[in-house]
Amino acid sequence: MQVKTILNRLQHFKSFVYGAVRWVERGTTLALAVEVRPRRGSRGVCSGCGQCRPGYDSLPVRHFEFVPLWGMKVFLVYAPRRVNCPDCGVKVERMPWAEGKGRLTETYAWFLASWAKRLSWKEVAEVFQTSWDQVFQAVERAVTWGRAHLDLSGVQSIGIDEIAWQKGHRYMTLVYQIDSPCKRLLWIGEKRTVKTLLRFFRWFGPERSHGLRFICSDMWKPYLKVIAKKASQATHVLDRFHIMAHLSQAIDDVRAQEVRELKAQGEEPVLTQTRWLLLKRPQRLSEKQTTRLSELLRHNLKTVRSYLLKEDFQRFWDYRSPAWARCFLDEWCARTLRSQLEPMKRVARMLRNHRELILNWFRAKGQLSSGVVEGFNNKAKLTTRKAFGFRTSYALQIALYHSLGALPQPNFTHRFF
Ligand SMILES: [Zn+2]
């Protein structure tokens, strides 16, 4: 069987035919060059208006990189025609395998983009002997196409989250769809201000915003404000993941301060390397860690008291009735406010101030999957950490949309990946 027979079967372009396939030596490596010719009698399509137009002349041959075969690079080699268009003037013809001045064929760009979901961009560039930039451009094209073909119908629940990047100096707001059949990243905006979230609602549109049933977010004031204004009909839930994150942060603060105090008093360092013991859920600790934790808990330390308050708060999420949950919350807040643990008191005050929104958790129970935002948050962090070369927020956004956006793809006649 000939290579061109395979290509005709997998990647047939109307009005074009495959010609000879030749070896090309590129330095020490071998590549394949596949000649492409216009079908006899066919006319070029104007890249300006998309109409068939009479020919003008031909440009020198160009190489368009195609999907590699058996470890060899493959190029489609074609001399683009120029057409004489009465509407657009002299124009280069449209070539169905490539876009604009790009050196990659569409198929190869989709191929690279699909690998970039499984590997880091740097790895994709290494494996397929191409540059980081080419991979970036391929992913960018896939994201642009996917975003342009997004179907936003039926979005009922969204989760709003933020991630820090550039060593925590800058923030991005991420909005996810968290409906049970469809979970994906919907939108990214820079910073985490009122304006940021207003931009989301403008993009999402008033009609769809009014169709939202559940919104899940952190206790971040700008978000609360905008949600109340733009989607007041939705049940707004302050999610478990963020609330527990505030408590963990408080323990961290208490601990850091206590370590300093103990050091100043010349006490033995009981708290060194206990951070993870205190932040992890007890059931996730190893046997050795559990022993260490129970030793630590024997000390009457502020850190230990904070830890016990946090672990006690876990019971809150087991309630079924909002009324009982409210009793527990009030009792826990009162107890914590008497504790003289300043960072914990801060959280207790915050919880008390947002009591109704927190209790919405119980009103939405069963209708909202709770771990979704946390799961996405972890994945988003992983993407930013794998951020080889994502120096710009634009590149990072492209990466996030690509990995978390569940973006649509064109219908390919054959999938090369
Ligand atoms: Zn034209």
Side-chain angles (χ1 to χ4, degrees):
M1 194 189 293
Q2 288 188 311
V3 173
K4 79 177 186 187
T5 316
I6 301 173
L7 279 169
N8 272 322
R9 175 77 184 256
L10 304 184
Q11 184 85 92
H12 176 74
F13 299 114
K14 211 178 133 215
S15 313
F16 295 90
V17 295
Y18 293 108
V21 181
R22 295 193 181 83
W23 291 114
V24 209
E25 310 239 4
R26 313 187 102 232
T28 54
T29 58
L30 274 176
L32 291 179
V34 180
E35 190 192 334
V36 179
R37 287 193 313 262
R39 190 176 293 281
R40 192 165 304 158
S42 79
R43 294 201 300 173
V45 171
C46 170
S47 56
C49 59
Q51 299 298 316
C52 281
R53 297 302 189 200
Y56 180 78
D57 63 358
S58 281
L59 297 173
V61 289
R62 278 176 60 188
H63 287 65
F64 302 89
E65 191 163 356
F66 193 69
V67 180
L69 180 66
W70 296 333
M72 290 179 292
K73 279 181 178 283
V74 176
F75 295 92
L76 302 186
V77 180
Y78 182 70
R81 291 169 292 178
R82 287 201 297 179
V83 294
N84 195 353
C85 177
D87 296 330
C88 316
V90 173
K91 279 272 181 189
V92 182
E93 70 176 310
R94 183 179 289 174
M95 290 163 277
W97 57 83
E99 194 188 67
K101 290 190 166 31
R103 287 200 295 119
L104 307 184
T105 58
E106 289 284 290
T107 305
Y108 188 45
W110 281 106
F111 176 87
L112 289 176
S114 116
W115 278 103
K117 275 190 185 160
R118 296 157 189 244
L119 305 172
S120 77
W121 297 1
K122 194 169 158 241
E123 285 168 314
V124 176
E126 278 165 15
V127 172
F128 297 106
Q129 299 165 49
T130 183
S131 65
W132 188 93
D133 238 45
Q134 296 281 22
V135 179
F136 169 65
Q137 281 169 31
V139 174
E140 188 187 21
R141 271 156 82 167
V143 168
T144 308
W145 195 95
R147 297 291 292 164
H149 294 81
L150 212 54
D151 177 8
L152 289 174
S153 58
V155 179
Q156 294 195 331
S157 320
I158 57 169
I160 301 165
D161 192 17
E162 90 248 338
I163 53 164
W165 70 293
Q166 286 199 336
K167 301 200 177 94
H169 295 312
R170 290 172 72 177
Y171 284 94
M172 275 187 194
T173 297
L174 280 67
V175 182
Y176 302 103
Q177 177 179 7
I178 55 172
D179 291 307
S180 40
C182 187
K183 301 180 179 67
R184 59 185 167 159
L185 172 63
L186 280 184
W187 188 85
I188 309 173
E190 292 203 30
K191 301 188 186 162
R192 47 171 184 170
T193 59
V194 165
K195 270 190 185 159
T196 311
L197 201 56
L198 281 175
R199 277 212 313 273
F200 163 75
F201 280 107
R202 200 176 316 140
W203 171 82
F204 196 55
E207 202 171 306
R208 277 190 286 263
S209 303
H210 292 143
L212 289 171
R213 292 183 57 217
F214 296 104
I215 301 179
C216 203
S217 84
D218 192 5
M219 284 173 277
W220 180 243
K221 228 190 217 130
Y223 293 167
L224 303 186
K225 234 169 104 179
V226 176
I227 293 167
K229 195 171 152 198
K230 291 290 174 185
S232 53
Q233 82 292 342
T235 306
H236 182 184
V237 182
L238 296 183
D239 66 289
R240 176 176 181 167
F241 155 60
H242 281 114
I243 291 169
M244 294 320 282
H246 282 292
L247 284 169
S248 293
Q249 183 60 50
I251 292 182
D252 240 15
D253 295 346
V254 172
R255 182 182 168 275
Q257 206 194 335
E258 195 163 40
V259 166
R260 279 196 298 273
E261 285 169 12
L262 290 177
K263 220 179 237 170
Q265 294 162 14
E267 298 275 339
E268 58 175 320
V270 275
L271 281 171
T272 41
Q273 293 183 2
T274 54
R275 186 162 179 260
W276 288 111
L277 295 183
L278 298 163
L279 295 185
K280 270 188 175 176
R281 299 285 341 253
Q283 53 269 41
R284 298 214 184 125
L285 295 176
S286 69
E287 209 170 312
K288 205 172 142 204
Q289 287 172 319
T290 310
T291 318
R292 282 207 59 200
L293 180 67
S294 54
E295 275 166 22
L296 182 66
L297 293 183
R298 271 190 245 135
H299 297 264
N300 183 24
L301 291 167
K302 286 179 190 162
T303 308
V304 168
R305 292 203 299 277
S306 308
Y307 172 81
L308 294 174
L309 279 171
K310 179 198 166 198
E311 279 310 308
D312 187 41
F313 192 82
Q314 296 285 7
R315 284 198 288 143
F316 176 67
W317 307 108
D318 298 332
Y319 282 97
R320 283 171 178 276
S321 111
W324 284 110
R326 178 196 304 265
C327 286
F328 175 85
L329 185 63
D330 289 348
E331 186 274 324
W332 187 91
C333 288
R335 191 153 35 107
T336 305
L337 287 168
R338 286 194 303 267
S339 71
Q340 294 175 345
L341 303 160
E342 211 31 66
M344 296 298 285
K345 282 162 79 174
R346 222 166 23 229
V347 179
R349 276 193 290 270
M350 194 160 65
L351 295 180
R352 223 162 49 170
N353 287 340
H354 298 104
R355 195 168 62 174
E356 285 315 306
L357 295 186
I358 294 170
L359 291 170
N360 273 347
W361 157 268
F362 300 94
R363 300 182 183 113
K365 221 169 187 181
Q367 299 171 83
L368 199 59
S369 28
S370 60
V372 185
V373 174
E374 180 173 15
F376 272 125
N377 183 282
N378 288 334
K379 282 185 205 154
K381 275 190 199 141
L382 203 69
T383 306
T384 46
R385 231 175 294 137
K386 274 202 300 191
F388 302 109
F390 300 160
R391 270 168 240 109
T392 63
S393 92
Y394 176 68
L396 178 58
Q397 289 185 25
I398 292 290
L400 288 167
Y401 278 132
H402 191 55
S403 55
L404 306 176
L407 292 173
Q409 292 189 348
N411 282 321
F412 301 103
T413 41
H414 172 76
R415 292 181 77 94
F416 285 84
F417 38 84

